[in-house]
Amino acid sequence: DGISTKPIQSRGSPLEESLGTGSQDFNLNHSIMVSFTRLAVLVALSSSSFHQHRPTIGVTGFIPQTSNSNMPHLTARQMVAQPIEINGKTAKEVSEEKKQDTGDGFHTIPAGISSPTGYLASHDAAKLDSELMSTTGFSREQLMEMTGSAVAEAVYTILDVSSPIIIGRKKILLVAGPGNNGGDGLVAARHLALIGFDVSVVYPAADTPTEMAYSAKLAQQAGDVGVKLLDEFPSQSATDGDYSVIVDAMFGFSFSSERGMSSPYDAILSDLISTQNGDQDTKIVSVDVPSSWDVDGGDILGTGFVPDALISLTAPKLCAKDFSGRHFVGGRFLSPTLSKKYGVRMPPYQGVSQVMEVSETASANGSAGGAAGDSLEMDYARRLAAKNVEVEHGRGQWEYYGDLETFTPGKYQVKCFNKISLKGLEGLTGDEKYDVRPDGIEGANAHAILLRSHKLKEEDVPTTCRAIARCGSGVNNIPVARMTELGIPVFNTPGANANAVKELVFCGMLMGSRRIIDGVNHMKELARQGIAKERVEKDKAMFGGRELKGKTLAVIGLGNIGAQTARDAALALGMKTVGYDPYLSVENAMKLPSDIFLADSIKEAVATADYISLNIPYITGEGGTHGVINKEITDAMKDDAVLLNFARGELVDSEAMKEFLDRGNGRYISDFPDDLLWDHDNMIILPHLGASTEEAEDCAASMAAEQVRDFLETGAVRNSVNFPAIDLPDRAQHTVRFTVVSHDAPGILGHINEIFGEAGLNIVQEIAKTRGPISYTVLDVDTTECGNCESDTVCFNDVQEKITMLDGVCSSRIIYGKPGSGYAKNLEGDYFV
């Protein structure tokens, strides 16, 4: 418009042929054609129509479909439709407002997925359909056949007929739109005709050459089984009482309320509304989305079109949330993985049925399935009707706790002390729900802490902290007892560094048996004197040793490291093995060599051993492991035994070990410093290398991150040193998970149940476990029913405060909605939320 460039020359291109026009008829200049091509592609890629059931781009209004050789010259402004406005707002703005009114959605819905309470928003529906044909591998034809079959089954259910004679008398009119929804309708028409119904299809031409060719095949298939194909909608006199059901399959979730209804579908919609108003016996059934409805906002255009029944395909769209007619869900092909990813609640389909009625009136309408089926249908309808949930976040002084300038609402903040493996943290850093703060970056509002060797102090732990995880097995750098008092679980990563430590043990055995380090140092000194070559053969006798094969290895502590060490020493090195562990687990016992001798005491285990590997935790206090390798043990050891300690330095009594090393040819090898033994000739001290491999650091970080993530997102507890282990089933999608940490005291669980009962809330699942002084309770609470709720929102504010402020309760958590919200603590009588 207003640009003067060279017109397009006629070249008879496939595009021009499909348009049925040459350059003399289609007089757009080159610049405008390029602009429109770019604009059309961008609009298509950004709109849900690009991601509908099939990979077809359909953009209305940019390239006119006409065979008229006298087509008028159109300017750009004439070709682009003006946006529809509603009360001064665009349809898109109204749709977004409607979308915001539906609530937060469930916490299990990943970032970028906005579907609340099991209903799909338009852009999520597009993403899901795209993924169905990429990750899942469905073809367009497969999906259309399944959805069309589901539509036919729903119509059959609505008609409620069984006699072939009656079926033959029932007439069905179906309006097929230009795209995928119309394709679903054509497939449904074929199935309905095969059942025996008298079926007619209003089938206007598709709006792109590709769609025309594709729809023509479907129309031919329908025609071959007796479906009548009509060019236009029958007159009202012809529809009055003539059709039992009229199926609206014009537009699905790709419909744009901004563009409105195009011709001839605007006129057909008017005919549908007139028919509905004039004939109460004819049922209007819409496929996926009632035509003219905004996918997210419903009838925001104000057409007044409300079908008698709706058949949602794959999953209900947002506009179905307030639909009060008969509602079916069909399309039985969505995997549990995709259902969970997109927050979709799939109905419990019965037998081989491809649809299920999910409206509250399902049983009253006589849907198939009998009493049991009705119960399932009603339960699914009830779950779809789940209420919105209100969770309090910040009150009084706590509304401004921490560093709000750097805090990102809606994300879990994770503070790292020490340098944590970036590869191991990928599970958190790659998730939009997490704000991971590396060492040196403040984390004043941290929800979790990850660390390695940092000596954690109580002042390092903000009030917002729910969990602490060490990337390693030992936790002596964490004040576990104090964290237990505060109700904070401490996790470790047993087994993450098992292979690395095991290999260092084998390395230590070789160093202890062959005097390798002494030989290395000797050769360096000879080289400095310039006589290394002369002495290399002569001096080898100074460093004689023994082989490992056939020798005996005693393993003290048969956990992850000890079990792997014993197994590989026997199988790979040909050693005899002796083990001692009064707390040997079944899992680790299965890893041991079959001929291992299990001793009754450490003294018995070391008595015949040539090598001794310590793999036990350091525990202080009475009955602990401080100085467990004492004089009694060293006196029982063989004079030339090699002790390998890559566990903790405090396990060994230094005086007793010095006496042992002084009396014979024994060796002590460790990666912990010892002020008394560091310069002893038979002592080898290494840096603390046990877990210092790239692989071990990656594994420990990944394991710690996964455990923290599971706890934050689901409440599950694995590998905690102070909380009871608890594996949790997936939370039902109509529930909210509520967790309580308390000091084990009688009556708390009863008070919790009483508070929920007073609030009119139903607990559908309850799990409570204790460990030492800690009691951990997990409750899943139904959100579809609330006896005391005056609106469609379940408010947990009062319930959470009452429970948190019970005597003995440390904290409570509502795992729902925005990440990081829903956490409350009892700070010596002060309510923190």
Side-chain angles (χ1 to χ4, degrees), residues 293 306-309 319-327 359-361:
W293 281 28
V306 181
D308 299 289
C319 62
K321 191 172 179 65
D322 298 320
F323 180 72
S324 58
R326 295 187 69 176
H327 186 193
S359 46
E360 292 287 2
T361 56

Side-chain angles (χ1 to χ4, degrees), residues 487-488 711 723 739-743 774-777 808-812:
I488 301 174
F711 180 74
F723 265 50
T739 71
V740 182
V741 178
S742 61
H743 296 294
I774 283 292
S775 177
Y776 182 54
T777 305
V809 171
C810 302
S811 63
S812 67

Side-chain angles (χ1 to χ4, degrees), residues 24 27 158 162 385 420 473 545 552 648:
Q24 67 272 23
N27 193 20
I158 291 169
S162 56
I420 308 294
S473 56
T552 299
R648 280 293 180 270

Side-chain angles (χ1 to χ4, degrees), residues 18 23 55 79 120 217 220 244 266 277 394 415 449 467 484 513-514 521 539 548 608 665 683 724 738 796 813:
S18 67
S23 63
M79 292 181 66
L120 280 175
K217 294 179 182 178
Q220 179 182 348
S244 300
D266 50 356
N277 292 337
K415 168 63 182 164
I449 291 173
T484 304
S513 60
R514 304 293 291 270
N521 292 334
D539 290 2
L548 300 181
T608 60
N665 197 31
M683 169 76 184
F738 195 105
F796 279 89
R813 207 156 54 100

Side-chain angles (χ1 to χ4, degrees), residues 79-269:
M79 292 181 66
V80 179
Q82 295 297 314
I84 296 172
E85 292 194 359
I86 305 161
N87 296 327
K89 298 179 180 179
T90 67
K92 183 177 182 180
E93 290 171 337
V94 174
S95 175
E96 287 299 318
E97 289 179 1
K98 287 273 189 178
K99 197 183 306 181
Q100 294 302 317
D101 290 339
T102 58
D104 260 343
F106 286 103
H107 82 284
T108 53
I109 300 173
I113 302 297
S114 61
S115 303
T117 59
Y119 294 87
L120 280 175
S122 55
H123 58 279
D124 295 336
K127 290 179 183 177
L128 175 54
D129 262 17
S130 179
E131 192 160 354
L132 280 170
M133 290 191 299
S134 55
T135 306
T136 311
F138 282 110
S139 68
R140 177 184 186 182
E141 290 78 6
Q142 284 178 301
L143 291 172
M144 189 171 285
E145 191 65 31
M146 288 186 285
T147 51
S149 174
V151 170
E153 184 178 342
V155 172
Y156 180 86
T157 302
I158 291 169
L159 287 170
D160 190 23
V161 291
S162 56
S163 168
I165 297 175
I166 297 176
I167 289 176
R169 294 173 182 172
K170 295 287 186 179
K171 297 179 68 176
I172 297 171
L173 178 64
L174 190 146
V175 184
N180 303 307
N181 216 37
D184 296 334
L186 287 169
V187 172
R190 168 163 45 87
H191 283 286
L192 289 167
L194 288 170
I195 292 172
F197 291 108
D198 184 349
V199 183
S200 299
V201 174
V202 180
Y203 171 54
D207 60 355
T208 68
T210 301
E211 283 301 317
M212 288 175 67
Y214 192 83
S215 298
K217 294 179 182 178
L218 296 176
Q220 179 182 348
Q221 293 167 2
D224 287 346
V225 297
V227 174
K228 304 178 186 69
L229 301 177
L230 310 178
D231 294 329
E232 58 185 22
F233 195 84
S235 64
Q236 186 172 346
S237 60
T239 58
D240 285 347
D242 200 25
Y243 295 101
S244 300
V245 169
I246 299 178
V247 179
D248 158 33
M250 288 189 282
F251 297 99
F253 64 77
S254 63
F255 174 73
S256 170
S257 55
E258 289 189 280
R259 292 197 299 267
M261 298 283 288
S262 59
S263 177
Y265 302 102
D266 50 356
I268 293 177
L269 180 66

Side-chain angles (χ1 to χ4, degrees), residues 405-632:
E405 289 187 5
T406 63
F407 176 68
T408 306
K411 292 193 176 191
Y412 292 114
Q413 188 179 109
V414 179
K415 168 63 182 164
C416 296
F417 291 99
N418 307 119
K419 184 180 179 182
I420 308 294
S421 162
L422 294 178
K423 183 176 181 180
L425 291 176
E426 285 178 352
L428 301 182
T429 56
D431 191 326
E432 293 180 357
K433 295 194 299 292
Y434 287 85
D435 173 17
V436 180
R437 305 287 179 93
D439 190 28
I441 304 298
E442 189 63 41
N445 298 82
H447 302 119
I449 291 173
L450 298 181
L451 74 163
R452 292 174 63 198
S453 58
H454 173 77
K455 191 74 173 179
L456 191 70
K457 304 179 180 63
E458 185 176 346
E459 53 265 33
D460 294 330
V461 183
T463 308
T464 53
C465 184
R466 287 90 152 140
I468 298 168
R470 181 173 184 270
C471 304
S473 56
V475 291
N476 57 323
N477 57 325
I478 300 172
V480 177
R482 179 55 180 157
M483 294 302 105
T484 304
E485 292 175 4
L486 296 174
I488 301 174
V490 177
F491 300 90
N492 66 347
T493 58
N497 60 0
N499 187 72
V501 176
K502 175 202 71 178
E503 291 183 0
L504 190 60
V505 169
F506 292 160
C507 176
M509 286 195 293
L510 292 171
M511 289 190 293
S513 60
R514 304 293 291 270
R515 287 195 174 276
I516 295 171
I517 292 179
D518 292 340
V520 170
N521 292 334
H522 179 71
M523 290 306 296
K524 285 184 176 181
E525 178 59 31
L526 293 180
R528 277 192 289 270
Q529 299 175 28
I531 56 174
K533 290 183 178 180
E534 301 171 21
R535 303 282 291 276
V536 67
E537 287 292 333
K538 182 178 180 181
D539 290 2
K540 66 182 181 181
M542 299 169 57
F543 307 101
R546 64 188 183 198
E547 297 181 6
L548 300 181
K549 186 176 181 179
K551 304 301 186 295
T552 299
L553 169 66
V555 182
I556 312 302
L558 296 170
N560 287 291
I561 298 172
Q564 287 193 34
T565 299
R567 178 196 64 197
D568 289 357
L571 298 179
L573 300 178
M575 301 182 75
K576 301 172 185 176
T577 54
V578 177
Y580 170 75
D581 191 333
Y583 308 106
L584 177 62
S585 69
V586 174
E587 181 183 1
N588 285 322
M590 298 294 290
K591 300 175 184 176
L592 299 175
S594 59
D595 58 351
I596 189 173
F597 174 75
L598 296 178
D600 293 328
S601 66
I602 297 177
K603 184 177 180 179
E604 181 185 11
V606 304
T608 60
D610 302 295
Y611 302 89
I612 303 159
S613 177
L614 284 182
N615 306 105
I616 57 179
Y618 175 60
I619 303 172
T620 59
E622 186 177 353
T625 56
H626 182 85
V628 69
I629 305 300
N630 52 29
K631 190 176 188 311
E632 180 185 8

